[in-house]
Amino acid sequence: MRLDLTPYRRSTIGFDRLFDLLETNARNASAENYPPFNLERLADDRYRITLAVAGFSRDEIEITAQQNLLLVTGKKDEKPSATFVHVGIANRSFERRFELADFVFVEDARLNDGLLVVDLVREVPEAMKPKQIAIKTGAPLSAVENRTDSGSEAQAA
């Protein structure tokens, strides 16, 4: 399925990143789903990604956080250390990308029992948070009058 957002791109301003994400996700919808993962919303500003990475050690996994992108890669040695009769456990290298919203940061990452758990938190800066504006009462403000100062009269003479 091809997603054509051209009509929306013509009539909107500032939504380029959103449209790019939608098009990228539509292209990657049929991509490989390894390793499997869960996305959880723990609270309004807290999230958790859990990846099933059985057979990977801490040294074989790398987590990179960039602006609006979380990249989790696993590098496995392609040479098997044993002769298998049947291989049913996927044990290959991978790269998994997660697009992050503005102000979402990695808080913690843990590997335990074959599960990699990455906790995320959204920390909006104080300057970006909504603020209540107090409404004052009292006498109306007086208008500024056009009057000539004694200094400007001296300059004119």
Side-chain angles (χ1 to χ4, degrees), residues 79-87:
K79 301 174 194 168
S81 59
T83 305
F84 291 98
V85 175
H86 170 73
V87 178

PDB file of all heavy atoms in Angstrom, residues 79-87:
ATOM      1  N   LYS A  79      29.720 -16.947  13.268  1.00  0.00           N
ATOM      2  CA  LYS A  79      30.253 -18.307  13.321  1.00  0.00           C
ATOM      3  C   LYS A  79      29.646 -19.048  14.513  1.00  0.00           C
ATOM      4  O   LYS A  79      29.855 -18.667  15.662  1.00  0.00           O
ATOM      5  CB  LYS A  79      31.772 -18.275  13.481  1.00  0.00           C
ATOM      6  CG  LYS A  79      32.482 -17.553  12.367  1.00  0.00           C
ATOM      7  CD  LYS A  79      33.954 -17.450  12.687  1.00  0.00           C
ATOM      8  CE  LYS A  79      34.619 -16.441  11.779  1.00  0.00           C
ATOM      9  NZ  LYS A  79      35.947 -16.096  12.223  1.00  0.00           N
ATOM     10  N   PRO A  80      28.897 -20.117  14.274  1.00  0.00           N
ATOM     11  CA  PRO A  80      28.352 -20.876  15.406  1.00  0.00           C
ATOM     12  C   PRO A  80      29.468 -21.598  16.154  1.00  0.00           C
ATOM     13  O   PRO A  80      30.411 -22.110  15.558  1.00  0.00           O
ATOM     14  CB  PRO A  80      27.382 -21.865  14.757  1.00  0.00           C
ATOM     15  CG  PRO A  80      27.791 -21.953  13.330  1.00  0.00           C
ATOM     16  CD  PRO A  80      28.497 -20.671  12.999  1.00  0.00           C
ATOM     17  N   SER A  81      29.355 -21.596  17.465  1.00  0.00           N
ATOM     18  CA  SER A  81      30.389 -22.234  18.285  1.00  0.00           C
ATOM     19  C   SER A  81      30.134 -23.724  18.450  1.00  0.00           C
ATOM     20  O   SER A  81      30.962 -24.438  18.983  1.00  0.00           O
ATOM     21  CB  SER A  81      30.444 -21.560  19.656  1.00  0.00           C
ATOM     22  OG  SER A  81      29.188 -21.666  20.286  1.00  0.00           O
ATOM     23  N   ALA A  82      28.974 -24.187  17.989  1.00  0.00           N
ATOM     24  CA  ALA A  82      28.645 -25.613  18.106  1.00  0.00           C
ATOM     25  C   ALA A  82      27.996 -26.070  16.806  1.00  0.00           C
ATOM     26  O   ALA A  82      27.573 -25.271  15.988  1.00  0.00           O
ATOM     27  CB  ALA A  82      27.695 -25.839  19.272  1.00  0.00           C
ATOM     28  N   THR A  83      27.897 -27.386  16.637  1.00  0.00           N
ATOM     29  CA  THR A  83      27.217 -27.945  15.479  1.00  0.00           C
ATOM     30  C   THR A  83      25.789 -28.268  15.898  1.00  0.00           C
ATOM     31  O   THR A  83      25.555 -29.144  16.722  1.00  0.00           O
ATOM     32  CB  THR A  83      27.929 -29.225  14.997  1.00  0.00           C
ATOM     33  OG1 THR A  83      29.303 -28.921  14.765  1.00  0.00           O
ATOM     34  CG2 THR A  83      27.295 -29.752  13.734  1.00  0.00           C
ATOM     35  N   PHE A  84      24.841 -27.525  15.322  1.00  0.00           N
ATOM     36  CA  PHE A  84      23.442 -27.690  15.689  1.00  0.00           C
ATOM     37  C   PHE A  84      22.756 -28.676  14.753  1.00  0.00           C
ATOM     38  O   PHE A  84      23.016 -28.692  13.549  1.00  0.00           O
ATOM     39  CB  PHE A  84      22.701 -26.336  15.600  1.00  0.00           C
ATOM     40  CG  PHE A  84      23.131 -25.357  16.642  1.00  0.00           C
ATOM     41  CD1 PHE A  84      24.054 -24.369  16.350  1.00  0.00           C
ATOM     42  CD2 PHE A  84      22.604 -25.406  17.930  1.00  0.00           C
ATOM     43  CE1 PHE A  84      24.448 -23.452  17.304  1.00  0.00           C
ATOM     44  CE2 PHE A  84      22.987 -24.497  18.889  1.00  0.00           C
ATOM     45  CZ  PHE A  84      23.917 -23.520  18.577  1.00  0.00           C
ATOM     46  N   VAL A  85      21.866 -29.456  15.299  1.00  0.00           N
ATOM     47  CA  VAL A  85      21.014 -30.327  14.508  1.00  0.00           C
ATOM     48  C   VAL A  85      19.789 -29.522  14.055  1.00  0.00           C
ATOM     49  O   VAL A  85      19.313 -29.679  12.936  1.00  0.00           O
ATOM     50  CB  VAL A  85      20.581 -31.567  15.329  1.00  0.00           C
ATOM     51  CG1 VAL A  85      19.598 -32.417  14.547  1.00  0.00           C
ATOM     52  CG2 VAL A  85      21.799 -32.374  15.728  1.00  0.00           C
ATOM     53  N   HIS A  86      19.321 -28.627  14.911  1.00  0.00           N
ATOM     54  CA  HIS A  86      18.190 -27.743  14.588  1.00  0.00           C
ATOM     55  C   HIS A  86      18.418 -26.392  15.266  1.00  0.00           C
ATOM     56  O   HIS A  86      18.796 -26.348  16.438  1.00  0.00           O
ATOM     57  CB  HIS A  86      16.870 -28.341  15.082  1.00  0.00           C
ATOM     58  CG  HIS A  86      15.715 -27.395  14.987  1.00  0.00           C
ATOM     59  ND1 HIS A  86      15.133 -27.062  13.790  1.00  0.00           N
ATOM     60  CD2 HIS A  86      15.054 -26.697  15.933  1.00  0.00           C
ATOM     61  CE1 HIS A  86      14.153 -26.205  14.003  1.00  0.00           C
ATOM     62  NE2 HIS A  86      14.091 -25.968  15.303  1.00  0.00           N
ATOM     63  N   VAL A  87      18.208 -25.302  14.534  1.00  0.00           N
ATOM     64  CA  VAL A  87      18.318 -23.952  15.096  1.00  0.00           C
ATOM     65  C   VAL A  87      16.939 -23.326  15.068  1.00  0.00           C
ATOM     66  O   VAL A  87      16.413 -22.983  14.010  1.00  0.00           O
ATOM     67  CB  VAL A  87      19.330 -23.086  14.301  1.00  0.00           C
ATOM     68  CG1 VAL A  87      19.376 -21.680  14.879  1.00  0.00           C
ATOM     69  CG2 VAL A  87      20.696 -23.727  14.316  1.00  0.00           C
TER      70      VAL A  87
END
